[in-house]
């Protein structure tokens, strides 16, 4: 069997979970030995070139592009992991969920003090905004959830290596205790 | 008309700036202005030495306080499961049609406001509503038509009540259409009671002996948790030396389906107040507080008149029942619509004039209760039973019931039965025999103990009503075959989502998650794994929540999964791993309309 193939994506998130992934420091070299990266901002591969084993999802879905991206990941990855608060619960972006889309757009593009051209962008190239920010598991089947904002580097490392090696993941209380 | 300043000033002055009078202040302002506007909140805050944010917190916490005008006639229509069984939806539609506005709205002229409200303690005579504090029971679309036209003609709400209920409901001072529906009288609560007999007997004993007698009776709390009353009093007494201790009666019966305290408060307030005096004597308190749920405000004046009469008869006040240096008096504090305030520490917070959020325990109220003083918080029925223990003696009382449950229990029976109402039964009676008496023998299930209790299937109707087998605070909701259980469970989850105080995440977010998962299954989009996850979420909410609300709110789902699994399984999609409820076209519809885009569905 070849190396497991990992793909990653950051959707409605802040890239913090990817930063946390990079935060495993020199273990990144071990990781590279263990896995092969496919579609991911880390290696800048833009499209899936093969079937992957693990999809690492950061961020929830706030627009049509996120939704398609997520569905594409589901199609191309055997296992999907929701990584971090935004993917799991919607996170900060979902603070807009209590506000109608119309109000959000008007505030951002019409009423905001620093706006010059008062128009709501409608270019066909732009993704379409969804009525609210969705956690990933409401759209596709998610296999695992790694909590945290961001999840600690060790947790990401432990989780990925457990998945790859098939060893049981040790989850001491301190790792997911946040208060 | 008075200005906002005048209204607030008057309300604050009336309470003498006493912080525990906060709910009264807001209630006065709400009554006078029809709502509590921002300006009023700022003025109250300034008058009471609090911040505007404190007032925002308090006003938004309670259901009967509102920042928006609630209407000159504010209709609060009960939306509990039994109300729905009894035709609540047709009544609601009739209100909407006649008034010309939807629920959650007020008519443009501000005359009529329609609001949903959680159980109002009238399950035996649903559908029921509270309009400006007055209870209307047994509503039908025809009656609604009449009520709305009377509102339009400007009639006073009290004048709209034409027939009065039985017993003291019909008395000059109550004048309510509420019926007692006492179906069965037992030996503890509804046995003859001679005014003064309990407290006179108690003061002839030492406080320690009174506690001893209650311990001998094995009396346990009737609110549902079943804590031994004598032990609670002893703990409180042990902490009360040199401190100001309190007796608090929990008359915030908010558990959907229970209405026993309503009947006690109507027919036996003297027995209750004597029970409080006995408790006060035992623990060394000179003040008692009756925390009355806002839904029972219609009994307030009457209860105050009873207190006055007892003061005149030397059963309250100084040297109670002739006992030198035993001074005890009772005041009534009114809630403002919050189920959580039935939790004893939340109740204390609310009685102190704050948001009714539970406290961390320990310290327990016996150590640190009302205003920091050692406090015994007891249920209405418990205190009445304690009065009976004084009269009968502990040993005699203990002869009734089962091994771990002594005396009798008041059961509030409602739902699909011919004779809904109050049944005082000896502990140990089987559920089946209760159903036979109530005319609900063919039931499919009984929700024992209300939504926070257990959904008991017919196969377990032989179980005995007792702390050891089938504990209940009194709510017994009979469910006939043919009812959709999941619709009832969903109603219960609506209730918990609405009533969660929001302090802790497992309860605030967990109940919403539980409801969403349930809805997914009800919409036939659930899979085997959704059902498994639903059960897992039940465990999370149950074990992680801070107080009794979240620790019991998963029960409707958990116990129906356990006892009626097929109801869920029949709606699952079999052989499918995952079904999404997400509809992309619908999700982007609003944006496309606003931005003038044509939605596309295919690939980017």
């Amino acid at each position: 069997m070849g190396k497991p193939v990992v793909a990653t994506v950051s959707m409605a998130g802040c890239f913090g979970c990817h930063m946390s992934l990079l935060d495993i420091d020199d273990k990144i070299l071990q990781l590279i030995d263990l896995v092969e990266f496919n579609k991911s901002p880390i290696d800048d591969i833009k499209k899936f070139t093969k079937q992957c084993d693990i999809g690492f999802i950061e961020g929830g879905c706030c627009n049509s592009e996120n939704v398609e991206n997520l569905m594409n990941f589901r199609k191309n990855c055997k296992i999907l992991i929701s990584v971090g608060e935004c993917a799991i619960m919607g996170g900060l972006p979902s603070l807009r969920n209590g506000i109608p889309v119309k109000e959000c757009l008007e505030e951002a593009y019409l009423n905001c003090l620093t706006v010059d051209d008062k128009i709501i962008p409608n270019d066909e190239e732009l993704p379409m905004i969804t009525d609210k920010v969705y956690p990933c598991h409401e759209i596709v089947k998610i296999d695992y959830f790694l909590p945290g904002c961001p999840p600690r580097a060790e947790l990401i490392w432990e989780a990925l290596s457990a998945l790859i090696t098939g060893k049981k993941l040790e989850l001491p209380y301190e790792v997911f205790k946040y208060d | 008309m008075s200005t906002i300043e005048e209204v607030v000033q008057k309300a604050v002055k009336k309470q003498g700036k006493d912080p525990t009078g906060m709910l009264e202040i807001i209630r006065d302002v709400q009554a006078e202005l029809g709502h509590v506007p921002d300006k009023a909140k700022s003025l109250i805050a300034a008058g009471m030495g609090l911040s505007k944010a404190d007032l925002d917190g308090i006003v938004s916490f309670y259901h009967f306080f509102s920042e928006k005008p609630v209407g000159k006639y504010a209709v609060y229509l009960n939306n509990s499961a039994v109300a729905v069984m009894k035709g609540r939806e047709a009544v609601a539609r009739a209100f909407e049609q006649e008034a010309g506005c939807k629920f959650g709205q007020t008519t443009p002229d501000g005359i009529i406001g329609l609001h949903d409200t959680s159980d109002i303690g009238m399950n035996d005579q649903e559908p029921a509503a509270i309009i400006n504090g007055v209870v209307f029971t047994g509503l039908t679309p025809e009656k609604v038509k009449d009520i709305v036209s009377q509102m339009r003609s400007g009639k006073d709400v009290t004048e709209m009540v034409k027939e009065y209920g039985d017993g003291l409901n019909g008395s000059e001072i109550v004048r309510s259409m509420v019926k007692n529906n006492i179906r069965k009288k037992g030996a503890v609560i509804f046995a003859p009671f001679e005014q003064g007999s309990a407290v006179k007997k108690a003061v002839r004993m030492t406080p320690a002996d009174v506690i001893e007698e209650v311990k001998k009776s094995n009396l346990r709390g009737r609110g549902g948790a079943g804590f031994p009353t004598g032990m609670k009093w002893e703990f409180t007494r042990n902490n009360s030396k040199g401190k100001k201790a309190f007796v608090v009666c929990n008359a915030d019966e908010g558990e959907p389906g229970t209405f026993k305290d309503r009947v006690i408060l109507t027919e036996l307030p003297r027995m209750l107040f004597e029970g409080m005096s006995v408790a006060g004597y035992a623990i060394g308190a000179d003040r008692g507080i009756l925390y009355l749920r806002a839904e029972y405000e219609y009994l307030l004046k009457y209860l105050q008149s009873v207190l006055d009469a007892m003061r005149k008869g030397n059963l309250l006040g100084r040297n109670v029942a002739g006992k030198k240096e035993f001074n005890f008096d009772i005041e009534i504090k009114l809630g403002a619509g919050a189920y959580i305030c039935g939790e004893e520490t939340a109740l204390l917070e609310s009685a102190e004039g704050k948001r009714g959020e539970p406290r961390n325990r320990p310290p327990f109220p016996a150590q640190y209760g009302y205003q920091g003083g050692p406090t015994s918080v007891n249920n209405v029925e418990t205190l009445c039973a304690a009065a009976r223990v004084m009269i009968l003696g502990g040993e005699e009382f203990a002869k009734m019931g089962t091994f771990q449950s002594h005396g009798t229990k008041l059961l509030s029976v409602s739902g699909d039965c011919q004779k809904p109402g109050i049944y005082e039964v000896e502990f140990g009676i089987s559920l089946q025999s209760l159903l036979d008496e109530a005319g609900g023998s063919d039931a499919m299930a009984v929700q024992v103990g209300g939504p926070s209790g257990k959904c008991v299937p017919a196969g377990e109707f032989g179980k005995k009503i007792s702390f050891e087998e089938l504990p209940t605070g009194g709510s017994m909701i009979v469910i006939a075959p043919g009812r959709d259980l999941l619709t009832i469970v969903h109603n219960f989850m609506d209730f918990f989502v609405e009533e969660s105080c929001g302090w802790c995440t497992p309860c605030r977010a967990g109940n919403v998650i539980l409801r969403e998962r349930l809805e997914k299954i009800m919409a036939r989009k659930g899979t085997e794994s959704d059902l498994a996850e639903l059960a897992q979420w039940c465990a999370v909410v149950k074990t992680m929540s801070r107080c009794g609300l979240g620790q019991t709110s998963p029960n409707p789902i958990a116990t129906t999964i356990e006892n009626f699994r097929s109801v869920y399984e029949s709606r699952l999609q079999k052989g499918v791993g995952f079904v999404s409820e997400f509809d992309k076209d619908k999700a982007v519809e609003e944006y496309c309309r606003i931005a003038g885009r044509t939605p596309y569905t295919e690939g980017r």
Side-chain angles (χ1 to χ4, degrees):
Chain A
M1 195 181 90
K3 284 198 232 173
V5 187
V6 177
T8 79
V9 64
S10 177
M11 305 194 304
C14 68
F15 255 96
C17 298
H18 275 78
M19 297 311 288
S20 196
L21 170 64
L22 296 180
D23 229 11
I24 58 178
D25 297 333
D26 55 340
K27 287 203 197 86
I28 193 100
L29 298 174
Q30 287 181 52
L31 187 64
I32 303 268
D33 278 342
L34 282 170
V35 304
E36 171 192 338
F37 277 94
N38 198 269
K39 175 176 160 65
S40 168
I42 292 173
D43 54 17
D44 210 23
I45 297 179
K46 304 248 193 274
K47 286 190 173 160
F48 282 105
T49 56
K50 60 158 88 162
Q51 190 70 20
C52 300
D53 296 294
I54 300 167
F56 175 108
I57 315 282
E58 170 182 347
C61 293
C62 73
N63 61 34
S64 54
E65 187 183 32
N66 294 155
V67 173
E68 284 149 16
N69 222 335
L70 181 61
M71 289 175 164
N72 200 20
F73 261 72
R74 183 68 277 180
K75 233 181 268 167
N76 288 286
C77 303
K78 280 188 207 146
I79 292 167
L80 286 191
I81 316 174
S82 268
V83 182
E85 171 65 18
C86 299
I88 296 173
M89 294 278 191
L92 277 181
S94 67
L95 285 181
R96 79 158 160 97
N97 284 3
I99 305 166
V101 172
K102 188 163 191 276
E103 269 178 50
C104 290
L105 291 167
E106 284 172 355
E107 181 61 30
Y109 297 112
L110 304 181
N111 303 330
C112 178
L113 286 176
T114 52
V115 166
D116 286 337
D117 302 330
K118 291 183 187 292
I119 78 161
I120 292 174
N122 59 0
D123 195 290
E124 289 298 322
E125 285 297 309
L126 293 169
M128 296 172 287
I129 310 270
T130 47
D131 55 347
K132 56 179 189 169
V133 177
Y134 291 83
C136 297
H137 65 266
E138 287 189 10
I139 294 176
V140 299
K141 164 88 180 156
I142 299 290
D143 302 288
Y144 298 100
F145 300 84
L146 282 185
C149 186
R152 300 172 187 193
E154 311 93 271
L155 178 63
I156 296 176
W157 165 252
E158 296 289 341
L160 284 179
S161 51
L163 262 182
I164 294 158
T165 58
K167 279 187 198 139
K168 191 172 180 291
L169 176 59
E170 295 297 331
L171 272 181
Y173 181 58
E174 291 68 27
V175 174
F176 54 92
K177 171 179 164 286
Y178 295 103
D179 57 1
Chain B
M1 206 175 134
S2 334
T3 62
I4 295 180
E5 283 86 352
E6 286 163 353
V7 170
V8 170
Q9 205 177 21
K10 195 174 140 206
V12 172
K13 204 174 159 193
K14 202 167 121 194
Q15 297 303 320
K17 293 206 167 192
D18 173 8
T20 69
M22 180 58 86
L23 265 50
E24 288 310 312
I25 294 173
I26 300 171
R27 195 187 326 279
D28 285 354
V29 171
Q30 167 97 38
E32 198 72 31
L33 302 173
H35 64 139
V36 191
D38 257 4
K39 191 174 170 191
K41 285 191 280 188
S42 302
L43 289 166
I44 298 171
M48 300 296 288
L50 294 171
S51 72
K52 162 83 175 2
D54 288 323
L55 263 291
D56 284 335
I58 299 169
V59 171
S60 62
F61 187 85
Y62 295 98
H63 189 61
F64 293 116
F65 296 154
S66 172
E67 289 156 329
K68 288 192 220 137
V70 291
K72 184 173 165 237
Y73 296 95
V75 178
Y76 287 91
L77 181 64
N78 181 10
N79 61 7
S80 74
V82 171
V84 174
M85 287 181 189
K86 301 291 172 188
R88 188 247 182 219
E89 287 318 306
V91 168
R93 296 296 83 77
F95 264 118
E96 290 186 338
Q97 201 178 344
E98 296 299 319
C101 71
K102 298 269 177 214
F103 268 80
Q105 294 175 347
T106 304
T107 51
D109 57 9
I111 303 286
I112 302 169
L114 302 180
H115 313 276
D116 288 317
T117 197
S118 299
D119 196 286
I120 60 172
M122 301 290 157
N123 252 10
D124 52 338
Q125 40 211 304
E126 289 294 341
I130 299 174
I131 308 176
N132 294 4
V134 177
V135 180
F136 290 81
T137 60
L139 291 170
T140 60
E142 292 72 45
K143 287 185 191 169
V144 168
K145 211 169 177 178
D146 184 41
I147 290 170
V148 173
S149 78
Q150 294 187 64
M151 289 186 212
R152 290 263 178 235
S153 69
K155 209 171 187 183
D156 191 83
V157 187
T158 49
E159 287 169 28
M160 295 182 199
V161 179
K162 286 167 197 143
E163 276 175 45
Y164 303 119
D166 56 333
L168 291 163
N169 288 301
S171 63
E172 194 64 36
I173 196 162
V174 182
R175 291 215 170 250
S176 167
M177 64 161 66
V178 176
K179 294 190 183 82
N180 283 331
N181 288 330
I182 301 170
R183 305 284 184 180
K184 185 178 188 175
K185 295 186 174 187
V188 173
I189 306 296
F190 290 120
F193 173 76
E194 191 196 329
Q195 170 89 68
S197 54
V199 73
K200 279 176 188 158
K201 195 148 173 212
V203 296
R204 284 201 295 270
M205 298 152 70
T206 66
D209 286 345
V210 170
I211 291 174
E212 203 45 49
E213 206 60 37
V214 175
K215 281 169 106 175
K216 252 189 247 169
S217 76
N218 289 322
L219 174 63
R220 293 171 67 176
R222 300 300 197 233
F227 193 84
T229 308
M231 202 188 281
K232 190 184 265 186
W233 288 6
E234 191 170 49
F235 287 155
T236 315
R237 178 169 186 80
N238 291 344
N239 289 307
S240 74
K241 283 177 198 87
K243 288 188 198 148
K244 213 169 156 48
F246 297 91
V247 174
V248 172
C249 171
N250 183 345
D252 192 63
E253 61 168 352
E255 188 68 43
T258 174
F259 44 85
K260 66 185 177 66
D261 295 348
R262 177 196 86 208
V263 178
I264 292 180
L265 291 161
T266 308
E267 297 300 326
L268 301 164
R270 286 175 172 79
M271 188 180 190
L272 166 64
F273 292 144
E274 270 194 46
M276 289 177 72
S277 302
V278 171
Y281 180 69
I283 68 173
D286 61 5
R287 253 179 91 192
I289 294 166
L290 175 75
Y291 184 93
L292 184 68
R293 70 186 303 217
E295 289 81 351
Y296 295 166
E297 188 183 358
Y298 74 100
L299 294 169
L300 180 63
K301 268 193 197 151
Y302 159 69
L303 292 170
Q304 274 162 344
S305 76
V306 172
L307 288 175
D308 278 340
M310 288 177 73
R311 283 178 196 119
K312 284 196 188 104
N314 187 228
L315 291 169
L316 286 173
R318 302 194 66 77
N319 302 327
V320 174
K323 178 77 179 179
K324 281 228 167 77
E325 287 175 12
F326 174 45
N327 307 323
F328 188 78
D329 210 330
I330 295 171
E331 66 170 304
I332 302 174
K333 287 206 168 269
L334 203 55
Y339 169 67
I340 186 65
C341 291
E343 197 281 338
E344 59 178 5
T345 60
L347 182 150
L348 293 172
E349 288 287 298
S350 178
E352 290 177 1
K354 297 181 271 189
R355 282 167 69 88
E357 286 170 350
R359 297 174 178 170
N360 284 332
R361 297 183 303 177
F364 292 93
Q367 302 156 290
Y368 187 96
Y370 183 68
Q371 293 191 307
T375 304
S376 178
V377 184
N378 295 107
N379 180 265
V380 171
E381 188 186 345
T382 313
L383 288 161
C384 287
R388 182 66 66 192
V389 168
M390 285 300 109
I391 297 164
L392 290 181
E395 272 172 34
E396 198 57 32
F397 184 95
K399 284 180 189 162
M400 289 178 274
T402 66
F403 177 56
Q404 287 174 26
S405 318
H406 300 268
T408 65
K409 181 78 194 86
L410 289 194
L411 301 173
S412 316
V413 182
S414 67
D416 297 318
C417 61
Q418 285 151 14
K419 289 181 276 182
I422 297 293
Y423 293 76
E424 183 180 3
V425 302
E426 198 172 322
F427 274 113
I429 180 185
S430 75
L431 187 49
Q432 185 63 53
S433 39
L434 175 73
L435 286 171
D436 294 343
E437 280 188 61
S441 308
D442 61 346
M444 160 177 75
V446 179
Q447 187 71 26
V448 175
S452 69
K454 195 175 169 192
C455 188
V456 178
E460 292 180 24
F461 286 175
K463 279 194 173 173
K464 293 186 174 99
I465 291 161
S466 58
F467 292 107
E468 50 268 50
E469 278 189 32
L470 270 185
T472 170
S475 171
M476 308 297 254
I477 299 170
V478 184
I479 302 167
R483 292 274 181 205
D484 178 25
L485 263 187
L486 294 194
T487 305
I488 295 171
V489 170
H490 186 261
N491 177 288
F492 292 161
M493 293 319 295
D494 276 342
F495 170 77
F496 287 122
V497 168
E498 174 67 27
E499 297 298 334
S500 169
C501 84
W503 200 98
C504 70
T505 311
C507 175
R508 183 185 62 242
N511 282 309
V512 175
I513 291 169
L514 286 174
R515 184 176 64 180
E516 282 175 356
R517 296 288 163 123
L518 176 67
E519 282 168 355
K520 190 175 179 188
I521 292 174
M522 288 175 78
R524 297 181 184 275
K525 292 202 168 155
T527 61
E528 293 282 354
S529 63
D530 281 310
L531 184 57
E533 275 179 33
L534 183 63
Q536 279 174 357
W537 274 109
C538 285
V540 169
V541 176
K542 208 176 169 74
T543 50
M544 304 295 280
S545 290
R546 183 165 174 253
C547 82
L549 198 158
Q551 287 158 12
T552 57
S553 63
N555 284 354
I557 294 178
T559 62
T560 46
I561 291 181
E562 186 189 329
N563 296 325
F564 296 93
R565 198 178 171 87
S566 62
V567 177
Y568 290 87
E569 282 185 338
S570 65
R571 302 194 193 197
L572 296 181
Q573 297 207 5
K574 298 278 162 59
V576 186
F578 179 84
V579 180
S580 173
E581 284 183 293
F582 180 74
D583 178 342
K584 197 177 117 198
D585 293 342
K586 215 169 141 219
V588 299
E589 192 182 79
E590 197 185 350
Y591 161 77
C592 289
R593 202 179 55 241
I594 298 161
R597 290 270 301 270
T598 319
Y600 55 79
T601 41
E602 270 319 305
R604 288 177 54 81

